[in-house]
Amino acid sequence: MALGVMLLAACAIFFINLTASGYANEFYSAAAQAGSVSWKAFLWGSLDSGNAITVDKPVAALWLMALSVRILGLNSFAILLPEALMGVATTYLLYATVRRYWGNWAGIVTGFIFTLTPVAALMFRFNNPDALLVLLMTGATHALLRSLEYVNHPSDNRKRTWWMVLAGALVGFGFLTKELQVLLVLPGFALAFLLASPTDMVRRILDSLVATASMIVAAGWWVLLTVVVPAGDRPYIGGSQRNSFLELTFGYNGFGRLTGSEEGSVIPRPRP
């Protein structure tokens, strides 16, 4: 009953008056509309169905919105529905993770605290990539903790490895959601696994390498596409200066966020 109340509260917080923001971030809404009418625009995260230029972020969050618009038509609710659903899913996943180790009421309290955090309502009622990023990071945390439950035994080793593969894949898709931001959790993940995994150090290192490979594959296939597909056969990478996703990753969306460099910004910051 408490879980039901918590999930109903989450639905109320994330769904009631969901369309108050209209099309929210119209930049991403335009890309969702383009992806709903063109599979090529869907693949690349194009800002327009003619595939002239992409948005200045990767594509994973756009895919969910584009599918929603393809099914429900172009409207505010279709744009924001995936965000609200991800809010409810993240609430339950956080509850399930905490409950597994600290009991049901600890999970209930954690879920309520999460849903009542103002920034959660901001993320899961708006169509920036942060909603999917938080869901994927929470899922990766759950998978990592599950991997710590298995001792050094052949059958348990296989289960542990698969949980680490899942954790790596979720982080990889997090990269396709908001690039380098997802990597902020990796030092904590690595430290927790290497220190707490109930197996020998060789197995810990092997499982860590498998998770790293899973992360690279989950993120790298799309990044590789941007490199191997000729520039004339794909849209221009928005936010980059040289039509390069790697430049976008390490430039405007990477070190540029630390240095304040606005090269590539859609709306340049006015000079003082």
Side-chain angles (χ1 to χ4, degrees):
M1 290 180 64
L3 173 61
V5 171
M6 183 193 73
L7 292 178
L8 284 174
C11 288
I13 290 170
F14 299 134
F15 274 96
I16 290 178
N17 204 22
L18 178 61
T19 59
S21 297
Y23 286 107
N25 190 325
E26 296 179 355
F27 187 58
Y28 298 130
S29 296
Q33 189 229 3
S36 73
V37 298
S38 165
W39 286 114
K40 183 176 180 180
F42 179 89
L43 172 64
W44 294 108
S46 299
L47 185 60
D48 62 298
S49 58
N51 292 289
I53 189 172
T54 72
V55 299
D56 59 355
K57 294 291 186 298
V59 292
L62 299 176
W63 286 339
L64 299 178
M65 288 188 288
L67 289 174
S68 179
V69 172
R70 187 176 283 267
I71 295 170
L72 301 175
L74 179 63
N75 55 75
S76 175
F77 182 77
I79 290 286
L80 298 175
L81 174 62
E83 319 304 317
L85 290 175
M86 286 187 283
V88 177
T90 304
T91 303
Y92 178 78
L93 188 56
L94 186 61
Y95 155 81
T97 303
V98 174
R99 176 186 182 274
R100 189 172 185 87
Y101 304 103
W102 293 284
N104 187 65
W105 284 108
I108 295 294
V109 171
T110 301
F112 271 113
I113 290 174
F114 176 74
T115 57
L116 294 174
T117 302
V119 72
L122 176 64
M123 285 190 299
F124 297 113
R125 295 174 58 89
F126 207 78
N127 63 335
N128 283 345
D130 303 86
L132 180 58
L133 179 69
V134 171
L135 174 61
L136 292 170
M137 292 167 70
T138 305
T141 303
H142 182 84
L144 177 73
L145 288 173
R146 290 295 301 271
S147 76
L148 300 179
E149 298 176 4
Y150 298 99
V151 297
N152 194 11
H153 182 273
S155 62
D156 280 6
N157 285 341
R158 288 192 294 271
K159 293 175 183 177
R160 183 193 320 105
T161 299
W162 280 114
W163 279 113
M164 289 298 288
V165 168
L166 177 59
L170 292 173
V171 172
F173 277 101
F175 181 85
L176 292 184
T177 302
K178 211 169 181 184
E179 295 172 294
L180 298 177
Q181 285 197 24
V182 74
L183 302 185
L184 294 174
V185 300
L186 288 190
F189 281 7
L191 187 63
F193 186 76
L194 292 175
L195 291 179
S197 183
T199 185
D200 59 80
M201 185 56 67
V202 173
R203 186 72 198 196
R204 298 180 197 191
I205 293 174
L206 288 175
D207 284 337
S208 298
L209 291 175
V210 169
T212 302
S214 174
M215 177 184 70
I216 292 172
V217 171
W221 69 271
W222 190 86
V223 178
L224 183 62
L225 281 181
T226 69
V227 176
V228 300
V229 174
D233 296 330
R234 59 168 174 80
Y236 187 92
I237 304 298
S240 72
Q241 302 299 299
R242 299 174 183 84
N243 197 11
S244 167
F245 179 76
L246 294 177
E247 181 210 327
L248 174 66
T249 299
F250 293 101
Y252 173 60
N253 283 338
F255 295 110
R257 303 293 173 150
L258 301 176
T259 63
S261 171
E262 292 295 311
E263 283 190 325
S265 175
V266 177
I267 305 176
R269 181 182 300 169
R271 296 183 179 275

